[in-house]
Amino acid sequence: MSRMVGTISRGVRAPIIRSGDDLVEIVTDSVLEAAKEDGFTIRDRDIIAMTEAIVARAQGNYATVDDIATDVKEKFGGETVGVIFPILSRNRFSVCLRGMAKGAKKIILMLSYPSDEVGNHLVSLDDLDEKGINPYTDVLSLAQYRELFGYSKHRFTGVDYVEYYQNLVRECGAECEVVFANSPKAILKYTKNVLNCDIHTRARTKRLLKAAGAEIVYGMDEIMRAPVNGSGYNENYGLLGSNKATDDQIKLFPRDCQALVDAIQARILEKTGKHVEVMVYGDGAFKDPVGKIWELADPVVSPAYTSGLEGTPSELKLKYLADNDFADLSGDALKEAIKEKIQQKDADLVGNMISEGTTPRRLTDLIGSLCDLTSGSGDKGTPIVFIQGYFDNYTTE
């Protein structure tokens, strides 16, 4: 008989991770202890995932406001810098902005509107329609923005991010001018030195700025790529993926993660004889339908994973089979026909109608989203996620 339970995602508790901790031992021991306590057995192709936060903490991958300021000043000369397209987040951007402000005399802060890149809204599309504003072409000064939209606050955090960011810059001793635009080229009216803070569109933004005559262009992914005064760093993503640790310090996105996931995979094999898959995950890639916030503020969902997590799902749509190919069958005959179809399916179903409606995303993005939802971002205390049955299908016994 087929197994009645499919995919199971378990949050696994772990000690509070500190710099220098051995994550290979901690993650392995935590999963084995959870299996013993909860009565489950580790199987081949189970998945062990851990948050990027505990990896960065174990690495001691931190930087301070002054470290960021030093790097920004070195790259831009300490004068006026156009800081464009930041996301609206106290956790993700406030400490970074303080570092940028301390490394410059003046910040021209250019905010995208009606929302930032990941869906945090300053105003609504309805507000723009009512005021006759075209976000694709209109560039607004702070005075114009306030006259049109007043002092609106984020619906979930209750923060007026325009005022909040402006005050942060001024508190760090820099002048601040705020403008609103969605074309990166709009900043060039104010300064030719630009630090673009967008995440997933950063390459295009840099290309457009350079083509339009910008003189110095760096992205957040190019700040803190190397240590400053012994600080942490990330050679691939710089400040992208960082989080607030204290008011004066950020935890950077982890680096050199591949050796870690491979070592945990090997240790589990040594301890259990089972070949599991292992990954590090950050923000899941999903969108909140009410707040319109797209969760992915990290540069990637998974910075490292074992080879068995490469690729995309190759799945058949069961309801399509039931309603089309086997519409004349029912009961055990339908069940057996579908099982046979699954067993005979091609490895690559791209473009095949029989897979229409299955999720066309990478495995690591799908699994990372599952992990992010399982572990949460608050006080659950489960930075490790153990997933079973993810690769099962209707034929699995």
Side-chain angles (χ1 to χ4, degrees):
M1 180 180 178
S2 298
R3 194 161 64 234
M4 295 300 292
V5 176
T7 301
I8 300 170
S9 179
R10 293 180 174 92
V12 176
R13 289 184 177 164
I16 302 299
I17 304 300
R18 297 293 189 188
S19 178
D21 284 349
D22 186 341
L23 277 189
V24 176
E25 290 297 327
I26 290 172
V27 172
T28 299
D29 291 347
S30 296
V31 170
L32 294 178
E33 184 62 30
K36 180 180 177 182
E37 178 183 294
D38 212 42
F40 60 86
T41 302
I42 295 174
R43 303 192 293 257
D44 287 327
R45 298 218 78 189
D46 287 347
I47 302 167
I48 296 172
M50 71 212 85
T51 66
E52 57 81 20
I54 65 170
V55 180
R57 287 173 64 85
Q59 292 174 343
N61 203 21
Y62 293 87
T64 66
V65 166
D66 288 340
D67 295 331
I68 298 168
T70 297
D71 203 9
V72 168
K73 188 172 184 178
E74 180 180 321
K75 287 181 168 64
F76 289 96
E79 299 299 321
T80 298
V81 179
V83 174
I84 71 171
F85 302 156
I87 63 173
L88 306 177
S89 171
R90 292 166 296 178
N91 175 45
R92 291 286 189 173
F93 192 67
S94 63
V95 178
C96 296
L97 180 58
R98 291 185 64 218
M100 295 168 192
K102 289 191 74 172
K105 287 184 178 179
K106 182 176 182 178
I107 296 292
I108 309 293
L109 185 63
M110 192 171 88
L111 303 175
S112 56
Y113 74 100
S115 72
D116 68 8
E117 180 183 1
V118 297
N120 292 294
H121 277 72
L122 289 170
V123 294
S124 70
L125 283 170
D126 291 336
D127 291 332
L128 299 185
D129 293 342
E130 180 183 336
K131 302 296 184 180
I133 298 299
N134 184 343
Y136 299 104
T137 58
D138 292 342
V139 178
L140 304 177
S141 67
L142 179 59
Q144 290 170 318
Y145 172 84
R146 290 302 191 195
E147 182 179 352
L148 289 165
F149 306 114
Y151 289 77
S152 58
K153 296 183 178 181
H154 191 284
R155 66 178 297 170
F156 292 141
T157 65
V159 174
D160 179 340
Y161 279 97
V162 178
E163 183 176 61
Y164 176 63
Y165 282 174
Q166 187 179 38
N167 288 340
L168 280 181
V169 171
R170 288 173 173 168
E171 287 167 6
C172 291
E175 297 178 55
C176 186
E177 183 175 355
V178 182
V179 294
F180 303 82
N182 291 306
S183 169
K185 293 182 286 187
I187 193 66
L188 300 180
K189 175 183 175 182
Y190 304 88
T191 178
K192 302 293 186 182
N193 302 332
V194 187
L195 174 50
N196 63 295
C197 303
D198 45 338
I199 307 162
H200 306 290
T201 55
R202 61 187 183 274
R204 178 176 183 267
T205 297
K206 291 176 195 175
R207 174 171 56 80
L208 292 175
L209 285 168
K210 291 175 181 178
E215 294 174 0
I216 302 176
V217 180
Y218 288 98
M220 276 184 67
D221 59 319
E222 296 171 291
I223 307 298
M224 300 306 303
R225 275 198 173 180
V228 174
N229 299 321
S231 72
Y233 65 98
N234 190 298
E235 67 274 23
N236 295 315
Y237 301 117
L239 288 176
L240 293 183
S242 62
N243 288 270
K244 180 178 181 179
T246 70
D247 286 342
D248 295 302
Q249 189 179 57
I250 56 167
K251 176 192 61 60
L252 294 157
F253 208 53
R255 59 182 192 270
D256 305 325
C257 300
Q258 192 61 47
L260 173 66
V261 297
D262 290 340
I264 292 172
Q265 183 183 60
R267 188 62 57 86
I268 291 291
L269 181 62
E270 174 190 325
K271 296 274 190 179
T272 68
K274 302 299 179 182
H275 184 90
V276 301
E277 304 298 342
V278 185
M279 66 181 285
V280 177
Y281 68 94
D283 274 350
F286 51 86
K287 186 172 183 177
D288 167 25
V290 175
K292 312 300 182 186
I293 299 171
W294 184 41
E295 179 69 10
L296 187 54
D298 286 325
V300 290
V301 173
S302 177
Y305 48 88
T306 49
S307 59
L309 298 178
E310 190 65 60
T312 58
S314 181
E315 300 174 344
L316 305 183
K317 198 72 171 179
L318 295 190
K319 63 184 180 182
Y320 179 86
L321 291 173
D323 291 343
N324 290 273
D325 295 43
F326 307 123
D328 58 333
L329 300 179
S330 61
D332 288 341
L334 174 59
K335 182 177 180 180
E336 292 306 314
I338 288 178
K339 281 188 173 183
E340 183 177 356
K341 194 76 171 180
I342 292 172
Q343 290 166 346
Q344 296 173 350
K345 70 181 178 181
D346 295 330
D348 184 1
L349 295 170
V350 174
N352 195 320
M353 183 63 73
I354 206 169
S355 68
E356 184 179 25
T358 58
T359 308
R361 288 165 57 187
R362 296 187 305 174
L363 287 168
T364 50
D365 293 340
L366 291 164
I367 296 166
S369 295
L370 174 61
C371 291
D372 194 18
L373 289 167
T374 300
S375 63
S377 58
D379 58 5
K380 293 183 184 298
T382 56
I384 303 165
V385 177
F386 186 72
I387 300 170
Q388 294 190 294
Y390 192 84
F391 297 104
D392 289 357
N393 60 42
Y394 193 56
T395 69
T396 304
E397 300 297 331

